[in-house]
Amino acid sequence: MKTGIIIPCYNEEKRLNVVAFVNFVQKENNFHLCFVNDGSKDNTLEVLKDIQSYNSHKVSIIDMKKNSGKAAAVRAGARYLHSRGDMEFIGFIDADLSTDFEDFDGLLKTLKTNRRLNFVFGSRAKGASGNIEKNGVRAIISKFINILIVLILGLSIQDTQCGAKVFKAELVPVIFNKSFFSRWLFDVEMFIKMKKHFGKTEIMNKIYEQPLKRWVHMEDSKLGLKDSLEIPYRLISIWFNYNVLESLQSSFTEDTLEPAIEIYGMPIRVLAA
């Protein structure tokens, strides 16, 4: 059994560290990289195919024909990896490697060694290392947003939005059974879904927030300042959707139209899009 790592990509042609990904593929045998090209308008897909050419057994590519957001990209990757049947753990990291493979491996080791845990996620706030670099304005906005998130979740979590998370593959039907309400605040929705599944008390025994050794904010981030200022409104919308609309059974539906995708990888049984 392996660990699948999802890497959502949107217009990453110039930002992808091809050497780092190729080195990882050639070195590690217990991992499978699943790149999800989220309707990129540049040559991201060709760069991903170049990475895959080094070892097609360790790299899959999901090509989403239309840009659908990070939430849909991660969901597509998780459902695909789960459908393979050879993944014990599944996680995701950002394409720019703001959290590197070493830190991801640290999250995975924690999950493997503590059997009561189902979900481990990186934190740039909890016991923050001196190697955690953030833009000053973003740091202030992040603190305000986190306070709002804690109020909405009702859980003591310091950093829900770090792009490095890993979980047992058995959680995929719980977290990714239905589409997310938000395109890029889906991390909050993941915790809401787990809270509903495990219960408010038990969830804190199932998840663990682990300080990162290194995290660097990349200036070419896809999430702009304007988007950040819209986050409070979008968070309130998420709360309303899960706590009011869902209770009235007028929220998500099972027949949600799935994005069109094409998969480049080994010819195995996969979940239909």
Side-chain angles (χ1 to χ4, degrees):
M1 301 293 280
K2 298 182 178 181
T3 297
I5 306 178
I6 304 161
I7 305 101
C9 303
Y10 177 64
N11 292 345
E12 300 287 354
E13 175 189 2
K14 297 180 180 179
R15 296 209 310 170
L16 279 169
N17 188 337
V18 175
V19 174
F21 284 114
V22 170
N23 287 342
F24 183 79
V25 168
Q26 294 180 327
K27 176 184 176 182
E28 302 292 342
N29 294 317
N30 296 319
F31 292 87
H32 185 91
L33 298 185
C34 177
F35 292 95
V36 184
N37 180 41
D38 184 21
S40 297
K41 297 177 175 61
D42 61 4
N43 292 319
T44 294
L45 181 58
E46 298 308 313
V47 175
L48 297 180
K49 288 181 179 180
D50 183 52
I51 295 173
Q52 186 184 47
S53 69
Y54 285 88
N55 194 318
S56 60
H57 293 278
K58 297 181 183 178
V59 180
S60 295
I61 301 170
I62 298 177
D63 183 32
M64 302 181 72
K65 301 305 181 181
K66 180 181 178 181
N67 177 247
S68 302
K70 184 178 179 180
V74 171
R75 180 172 178 263
R79 284 159 60 87
Y80 163 72
L81 290 172
H82 182 259
S83 72
R84 289 173 54 104
D86 61 345
M87 298 294 158
E88 184 176 6
F89 305 101
I90 297 173
F92 56 91
I93 58 176
D94 291 330
D96 59 15
L97 294 179
S98 51
T99 299
D100 59 21
F101 290 116
E102 182 180 351
D103 257 329
F104 182 86
D105 191 53
L107 302 180
L108 180 61
K109 286 179 179 177
T110 298
L111 183 59
K112 285 182 174 181
T113 55
N114 192 329
R115 293 188 176 184
R116 70 179 176 84
L117 294 176
N118 285 60
F119 189 98
V120 179
F121 55 106
S123 178
R124 300 158 295 182
K126 181 181 179 181
S129 163
N131 292 323
I132 305 297
E133 299 179 20
K134 267 190 177 183
N135 174 282
V137 175
R138 285 179 177 273
I140 295 174
I141 294 176
S142 294
K143 288 183 179 180
F144 169 73
I145 291 172
N146 190 67
I147 292 174
L148 184 57
I149 289 174
V150 170
L151 292 175
I152 289 174
L153 288 179
L155 301 173
S156 181
I157 297 175
Q158 296 185 42
D159 185 5
T160 62
Q161 299 310 111
C162 176
K165 295 177 172 68
V166 63
F167 44 89
K168 291 181 178 179
E170 64 193 48
L171 270 185
V172 170
V174 174
I175 301 175
F176 301 99
N177 60 329
K178 297 179 182 179
S179 299
F180 291 102
F181 180 66
S182 170
R183 286 171 61 95
W184 34 266
L185 284 170
F186 71 99
D187 305 76
V188 175
E189 296 186 59
M190 292 176 70
F191 288 106
I192 291 176
K193 289 183 178 185
M194 285 189 290
K195 181 180 177 181
K196 288 179 175 290
H197 179 75
F198 292 116
K200 183 177 180 179
T201 302
E202 184 61 19
I203 186 178
M204 297 309 294
N205 295 321
K206 297 292 186 179
I207 65 176
Y208 180 70
E209 182 172 11
Q210 183 162 309
L212 294 176
K213 296 178 181 178
R214 171 193 172 274
W215 185 87
V216 180
H217 165 69
M218 299 300 180
E219 290 302 325
D220 191 26
S221 173
K222 300 296 184 301
L223 185 63
L225 182 59
K226 181 180 178 181
D227 295 317
S228 298
L229 296 176
E230 292 180 0
I231 288 178
Y233 164 75
R234 297 185 182 279
L235 285 171
I236 293 173
S237 297
I238 289 173
W239 174 87
F240 184 78
N241 193 77
Y242 280 94
N243 292 277
V244 179
L245 292 184
E246 192 174 73
S247 64
L248 297 175
Q249 297 184 342
S250 57
S251 181
F252 302 116
T253 58
E254 293 292 342
D255 58 351
T256 301
L257 183 64
E258 298 288 348
I261 65 173
E262 182 173 359
I263 298 175
Y264 300 88
M266 297 177 66
I268 59 174
R269 176 180 60 86
V270 298
L271 195 64

